[in-house]
Amino acid sequence: MSSIKENITNFKNRLPEHVRLVAVSKTKPAEDILEAYNTGHLIFGENKAQELKDKQPGLPKDIQWHFIGHMQTNKVKYIAPFVSMIHSADRYKVLKEINKQAKKYDRIIPCLLQFHIAEEDTKFGFDWKEVKSMLESEAYKNLENIRLDGVMAMATFTEDMEQVRREFKQLKQYFDRLKSDHFSDDQNFKEVSMGMTNDYPVAIEEGSTMIRIGSAIFGARNY
Ligand SMILES: *Cc1c(COP(=O)(O)O)cnc(C)c1O
């Protein structure tokens, strides 16, 4: 089996310039993260607030931690002091809590709107109408300590890459409409976070700017 170092280097060499890599290190120990970090990679993704809170203090301070998992509002405070981006803002209530915690630490936390595009109903996320009505509400305008940088979604877990492609196209369309309706003057609103180990080539073809890769870098996870 190839090493983490080889995996991540190969990945980065093959990626188009406009696509950033989030190395998803959930369940993996500090040694594995350091092996990836020592190649010069800085962006890592975790999906559990408690796990991230426990790992972060023992690892280099210039790591940019991206949170990609479903967030319980009472756990936002664990990561608010240091998190670089939250990909999984999937309801108004969680954005409100991120805003509150960010304010406490005098920060502005970049977030992505997570859309529900998959067929399974187990995946979290906004639908289009919810996002539109939130963006038009007064309540949203008062959130001064968050910044919306784009959108994120997970496709259905299936071998059917045509279905996956349709779902990614849908997300890119949502992004384009939001960009022109609400963020045309906002240079920060530019991210489309889509693509994982099994579907990233399709995601890149459909306009991804950030892929989130775990197993192809760190190997299979043992839960
Ligand atoms: C675990 C996870 C990934 C990475 O999954 P792999 O299939 O291991 O690449 C990406 N995004 C999210 C939201 C995840 O939870």
Side-chain angles (χ1 to χ4, degrees):
M1 224 181 75
S2 49
S3 67
I4 294 170
K5 183 179 162 193
E6 284 165 355
N7 292 343
I8 198 160
T9 309
N10 287 336
F11 240 103
K12 291 183 85 165
N13 289 342
R14 282 185 288 122
L15 277 191
E17 216 167 305
H18 65 278
V19 182
R20 286 195 287 162
L21 172 67
V22 179
V24 177
S25 52
K26 62 192 188 194
T27 79
K28 298 296 176 183
E31 307 91 86
D32 289 10
I33 297 172
L34 282 174
E35 186 177 338
Y37 173 84
N38 286 333
T39 68
H41 189 73
L42 294 178
I43 307 177
F44 290 85
E46 290 280 338
N47 73 335
K48 296 225 157 50
Q50 180 72 56
E51 182 179 343
L52 177 50
K53 171 185 185 252
D54 293 343
K55 277 178 175 172
Q56 185 266 347
L59 285 160
K61 291 295 165 275
D62 58 346
I63 287 183
Q64 298 163 29
W65 292 104
H66 285 213
F67 190 78
I68 61 172
H70 183 62
M71 180 90 88
Q72 290 169 264
T73 47
N74 63 346
K75 293 189 178 161
V76 173
K77 59 177 181 287
Y78 293 167
I79 62 171
F82 63 84
V83 72
S84 289
M85 180 175 279
I86 295 177
H87 291 227
S88 43
D90 59 3
R91 55 207 194 282
Y92 170 70
K93 210 176 134 197
V94 85
L95 280 169
K96 190 175 160 199
E97 179 64 17
I98 296 167
N99 183 71
K100 179 178 152 192
Q101 295 298 330
K103 197 175 198 124
K104 244 191 226 167
Y105 296 100
D106 199 19
R107 305 187 59 206
I108 291 174
I109 299 183
C111 296
L112 304 180
L113 296 168
Q114 181 174 359
F115 277 92
H116 180 102
I117 54 168
E119 241 173 30
E120 301 117 60
D121 26 272
T122 49
K123 288 187 178 127
F124 298 100
F126 281 105
D127 66 29
W128 175 253
K129 279 192 185 143
E130 288 169 338
V131 165
K132 284 299 274 187
S133 64
M134 180 182 79
L135 293 178
E136 284 155 13
S137 70
E138 277 310 305
Y140 164 72
K141 296 191 179 93
N142 293 328
L143 302 181
E144 292 178 336
N145 291 72
I146 58 153
R147 190 180 84 195
L148 295 183
D149 279 7
V151 301
M152 176 271 209
M154 288 166 87
T156 303
F157 188 72
T158 171
E159 303 278 289
D160 180 357
M161 284 300 136
E162 285 316 305
Q163 178 176 351
V164 167
R165 187 182 298 283
R166 280 195 300 276
E167 293 172 357
F168 286 154
K169 272 190 202 299
Q170 174 74 267
L171 182 67
K172 177 62 163 59
Q173 235 174 50
Y174 287 155
F175 171 82
D176 290 340
R177 283 163 70 182
L178 291 176
K179 181 76 189 169
S180 65
D181 293 356
H182 297 274
F183 299 96
S184 52
D185 296 332
D186 183 347
Q187 298 199 350
N188 294 310
F189 194 87
K190 61 177 168 40
E191 305 293 354
V192 181
S193 167
M194 60 186 187
M196 305 170 35
T197 294
N198 289 318
D199 56 20
Y200 73 87
V202 179
I204 292 172
E205 286 167 13
E206 296 305 329
S208 175
T209 65
M210 261 191 215
I211 58 172
R212 311 176 307 268
I213 305 294
S215 3
I217 294 171
F218 294 104
R221 289 177 290 273
N222 305 306
Y223 285 99

